[in-house]
Amino acid sequence: MLSIQSTVQLTGARVSGDFWDLDELINAIYKITGDENKYYDYQGARLRILSVCYNLRQAAKGEHQLEFVSNGLNKSVLTQHELIFPNKNVYFAAEILWPELIFTSIALNDFIRLHQELIDSSDWSIDVAAIRKFQAAVANCLEQELNEEEYLVFLRMLHTKSPLTFRYATQYVDVLNLEYIQLSLEERKAHLAAFALRLMLEDDEYVMLKSQLMEAAITTKKSLHEIEIKAKYPETILW
């Protein structure tokens, strides 16, 4: 079962599951986000989501953390079936910064909507269901870290703003990631809700950044999402 839990320092959340849990989510994300030329105005968000997806794929290969989780087998069951079998399963896990994880979760809403409008409107899509399960796990984890009022404000904003990532300057996610990393544990507890809202509010800082990026895009004749900013992440992150 896919599991998402906050890290000890609240720097991010640990996404974990067995190989098939992660494989199902990875394949669903690739399917829903579609071809790179299909949703061009969402290309920045798509690439950002796929970056997280790559992290999960690495985890599924055992390149990140491993966890051992009880599989429900006990001595009585093993004796009844005359089996010698481990009572724990291997879970693969990856840690993702909170602003990055929240952005990924809300951006997937746009791709689900586009997929349903243009590709498959079925309510029975197994890929949409897999992504909704992931989003629900993120939301459940986030709810545990926010007070009731903060969480309701976040949900209200999420449901009233659509699309969320149309021509979005995803470099702003790097800005928020780096700001968030610099906070203390107590500051993260106090300001996590604000960071979640800033991903959707398009405040003055975001507008200024996007304006600068647009100017650079015009000058270099590059797409908005191709413009790089100075965003140096620390070599070691205390999770």
Side-chain angles (χ1 to χ4, degrees), residues 167-231:
R167 296 179 182 173
Y168 193 88
T170 52
Q171 296 87 339
Y172 190 56
V173 182
D174 287 309
V175 172
L176 294 184
N177 281 340
L178 293 173
E179 281 186 32
Y180 191 74
I181 289 172
Q182 298 303 317
L183 300 180
S184 67
L185 173 58
E186 292 307 313
E187 289 172 327
R188 289 171 188 159
K189 289 179 179 178
H191 299 297
L192 179 56
F195 275 79
L197 291 177
R198 287 170 68 188
L199 287 164
M200 296 182 284
L201 284 174
E202 299 185 12
D203 57 13
D204 291 343
E205 185 179 2
Y206 171 82
V207 171
M208 183 179 298
L209 174 64
K210 186 172 182 179
S211 177
Q212 294 170 347
L213 293 171
M214 290 294 291
E215 290 179 11
I218 292 170
T219 302
T220 60
K221 294 182 169 55
K222 290 183 178 180
S223 299
L224 177 65
H225 65 268
E226 294 177 321
I227 305 300
E228 296 182 1
I229 64 171
K230 293 181 180 179

Side-chain angles (χ1 to χ4, degrees), residues 3-239:
S3 172
I4 299 179
Q5 300 293 329
S6 287
T7 58
V8 174
Q9 296 297 320
L10 199 59
T11 316
R14 179 186 294 249
V15 181
S16 63
D18 66 22
F19 174 84
W20 301 111
D21 293 326
L22 296 184
D23 187 65
E24 177 187 49
L25 175 59
I26 290 164
N27 288 326
I29 288 174
Y30 276 111
K31 183 76 173 290
I32 295 301
T33 54
D35 183 83
E36 62 180 339
N37 298 315
K38 193 168 192 65
Y39 310 124
Y40 187 77
D41 289 323
Y42 296 85
Q43 183 68 342
R46 178 181 179 274
L47 292 175
R48 199 93 205 183
I49 292 169
L50 293 183
S51 177
V52 170
C53 198
Y54 176 73
N55 199 15
L56 296 176
R57 186 175 290 281
Q58 285 184 308
K61 292 180 179 179
E63 296 179 14
H64 293 309
Q65 294 82 28
L66 296 180
E67 299 175 349
F68 297 92
V69 180
S70 174
N71 58 18
L73 287 177
N74 55 44
K75 186 175 181 180
S76 174
V77 173
L78 293 174
T79 301
Q80 179 182 351
H81 293 276
E82 298 180 346
L83 289 174
I84 299 175
F85 202 83
N87 60 3
K88 291 186 178 181
N89 291 342
V90 176
Y91 268 33
F92 303 91
E95 290 152 335
I96 302 171
L97 294 169
W98 259 121
E100 190 81 49
L101 183 60
I102 295 170
F103 178 80
T104 299
S105 187
I106 64 179
L108 282 167
N109 271 347
D110 284 336
F111 289 93
I112 289 174
R113 177 181 55 79
L114 290 166
H115 182 79
Q116 292 177 328
E117 288 177 358
L118 303 174
I119 307 297
D120 181 5
S121 61
S122 171
D123 291 331
W124 299 84
S125 169
I126 194 168
D127 297 310
V128 171
I131 291 176
R132 288 299 190 204
K133 181 168 62 175
F134 166 73
Q135 291 175 305
V138 173
N140 182 65
C141 185
L142 184 62
E143 184 180 12
Q144 294 175 39
E145 305 301 342
L146 308 183
N147 64 46
E148 184 177 358
E149 183 178 354
E150 289 173 335
Y151 186 65
L152 289 176
V153 170
F154 171 75
L155 288 183
R156 196 174 301 120
M157 176 66 71
L158 184 62
H159 292 312
T160 56
K161 190 176 187 303
S162 182
L164 290 158
T165 59
F166 178 77
R167 296 179 182 173
Y168 193 88
T170 52
Q171 296 87 339
Y172 190 56
V173 182
D174 287 309
V175 172
L176 294 184
N177 281 340
L178 293 173
E179 281 186 32
Y180 191 74
I181 289 172
Q182 298 303 317
L183 300 180
S184 67
L185 173 58
E186 292 307 313
E187 289 172 327
R188 289 171 188 159
K189 289 179 179 178
H191 299 297
L192 179 56
F195 275 79
L197 291 177
R198 287 170 68 188
L199 287 164
M200 296 182 284
L201 284 174
E202 299 185 12
D203 57 13
D204 291 343
E205 185 179 2
Y206 171 82
V207 171
M208 183 179 298
L209 174 64
K210 186 172 182 179
S211 177
Q212 294 170 347
L213 293 171
M214 290 294 291
E215 290 179 11
I218 292 170
T219 302
T220 60
K221 294 182 169 55
K222 290 183 178 180
S223 299
L224 177 65
H225 65 268
E226 294 177 321
I227 305 300
E228 296 182 1
I229 64 171
K230 293 181 180 179
K232 187 175 181 179
Y233 286 81
E235 292 185 9
T236 302
I237 295 175
L238 183 62
W239 295 99

